[in-house]
């Protein structure tokens, strides 16, 4: 795909962040650089039914397997949807809505070879003497993608951190796989800053999901906060933690 800073199809226009032109790029580079035009161009070729099935396998438009109150992540894509709506949805805009918890579940599923786990918030319950009364265990929920697909996504997410928009989450001490997001919601206000990812990329131990409301591009504040979370996990920022 050759990016000139914007993509137009059937009168609808999608712009890359600040209209930045990425030039001629591969799919992997488009992913790493967050090229909106490349994904908007792909949208016109996708099957609405297959795309919807894939997204719903990741629990969009579905109930999440948790007992606490939450808001379901939503999106809508029909075969007869207008082109502008398809393109907006393909880059995570339009009617698409996601929660940080759900994003963490998806990032963890990729880290876990395609297996999505059921979230839980309490590790154990102990009595007044410190003895464990109840211990909670991880439970598999579903497999939305194959191990091979998860490995490929991990490679792209590593490239995003090594050479793309997620560079502020990079570290010399461990490898990070991640993806930034810049969610525009009001033309008069700054976008929400997103970052999801996990580390170490080869043998993941921790997955994170960060949103900074009105924080701007995901490549700035959210990625920087994710970096602090990772460094705290590895005890590299004890003073800051």
């Amino acid at each position: 795909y050759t990016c000139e800073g914007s993509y137009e199809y059937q009168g609808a226009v999608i712009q890359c962040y600040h209209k930045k032109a990425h030039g001629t790029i591969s799919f992997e580079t488009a992913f790493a650089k967050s090229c909106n035009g490349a994904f908007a161009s792909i949208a016109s070729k996708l099957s609405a039914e297959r795309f919807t099935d894939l997204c719903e396998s990741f629990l969009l438009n579905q109930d999440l397997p948790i007992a606490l109150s939450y808001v379901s992540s939503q999106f809508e894509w029909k075969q007869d949807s207008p082109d502008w709506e398809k393109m907006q949805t393909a880059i995570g805009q339009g009617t698409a809505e996601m929660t940080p918890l759900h994003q963490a579940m998806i990032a963890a599923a990729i880290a876990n070879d395609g297996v999505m786990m059921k979230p839980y918030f309490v590790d154990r319950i102990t009595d007044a003497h410190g003895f464990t009364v109840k211990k909670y265990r991880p439970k598999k929920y579903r497999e939305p993608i194959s191990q091979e697909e998860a490995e490929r996504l991990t490679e792209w997410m590593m490239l995003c951190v090594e050479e793309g928009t997620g560079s502020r989450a990079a570290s010399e001490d461990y490898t990070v796989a991640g993806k930034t997001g810049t969610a525009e919601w009001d033309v008069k206000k700054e976008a929400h800053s997103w970052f999801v990812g996990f580390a170490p990329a080869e043998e993941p131990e921790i997955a994170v999901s960060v949103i900074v409301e009105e924080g701007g591009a995901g490549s700035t504040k959210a990625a920087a906060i994710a970096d602090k979370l990772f460094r705290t996990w590895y005890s590299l920022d004890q003073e800051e933690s």
Side-chain angles (χ1 to χ4, degrees):
Y1 175 76
T2 299
C3 172
E4 298 177 350
S6 65
Y7 174 77
E8 181 175 355
Y9 181 76
Q10 301 290 356
V13 179
I14 294 292
Q15 296 179 347
C16 286
Y17 193 63
H18 291 326
K19 298 182 181 180
K20 180 180 180 179
H22 295 103
T24 300
I25 52 177
S26 65
F27 179 84
E28 293 85 347
T29 303
F31 183 94
K33 302 289 186 181
S34 293
C35 178
N36 290 338
F39 285 92
S41 69
I42 292 171
S44 63
K45 306 176 182 66
L46 292 178
S47 160
E49 182 178 2
R50 292 183 63 190
F51 185 70
T52 298
D53 288 346
L54 174 63
C55 291
E56 291 186 348
S57 74
F58 276 101
L59 301 184
L60 278 88
N61 300 334
Q62 307 291 311
D63 293 333
L64 298 182
I66 59 174
L68 300 181
S69 297
Y70 65 92
V71 177
S72 298
S73 298
Q74 303 288 329
F75 95 109
E76 184 174 314
W77 182 318
K78 299 179 181 178
Q79 201 62 53
D80 59 354
S81 296
D83 294 316
W84 68 266
E85 186 175 297
K86 292 180 180 179
M87 293 193 296
Q88 287 282 354
T89 303
I91 63 171
Q93 294 283 153
T95 59
E97 297 179 329
M98 293 286 290
T99 63
L101 171 62
H102 194 177
Q103 292 277 34
M105 290 175 63
I106 292 173
I110 297 169
N112 200 35
D113 294 331
V115 178
M116 180 176 284
M117 306 297 288
K118 183 178 180 179
Y120 61 99
F121 300 91
V122 176
D123 178 65
R124 63 172 61 89
I125 298 173
T126 61
D127 62 18
H129 302 287
F131 294 106
T132 298
V133 176
K134 185 175 182 179
K135 171 71 176 176
Y136 291 86
R137 302 289 183 183
K139 293 182 179 180
K140 173 182 172 181
Y141 186 66
R142 61 170 55 181
E143 295 183 45
I145 54 174
S146 68
Q147 180 178 345
E148 182 180 359
E149 290 166 332
E151 290 174 352
R152 182 65 61 86
L153 276 168
T154 298
E155 292 173 1
W156 297 340
M157 292 170 72
M158 289 174 64
L159 186 65
C160 178
V161 174
E162 293 168 358
E163 303 179 14
T165 55
S167 60
R168 293 196 66 176
S171 173
E172 295 181 355
D173 299 296
Y174 47 84
T175 54
V176 177
K179 184 71 185 77
T180 59
T182 305
E184 298 174 328
W185 63 286
D186 189 317
V187 294
K188 297 180 180 179
K189 297 183 178 181
E190 192 62 82
H192 297 328
S193 176
W194 277 96
F195 181 90
V196 298
F198 51 88
E202 299 86 353
E203 294 289 339
E205 297 177 1
I206 178 174
V208 303
S209 172
V210 179
I211 180 172
V212 183
E213 295 182 347
E214 298 186 52
S219 57
T220 53
K221 291 185 179 179
I225 291 173
D227 175 59
K228 288 184 176 294
L229 291 172
F230 289 133
R231 292 184 64 80
T232 299
W233 176 263
Y234 290 106
S235 302
L236 297 175
D237 271 351
Q238 290 293 344
E239 294 183 1
E240 295 184 26
S241 65

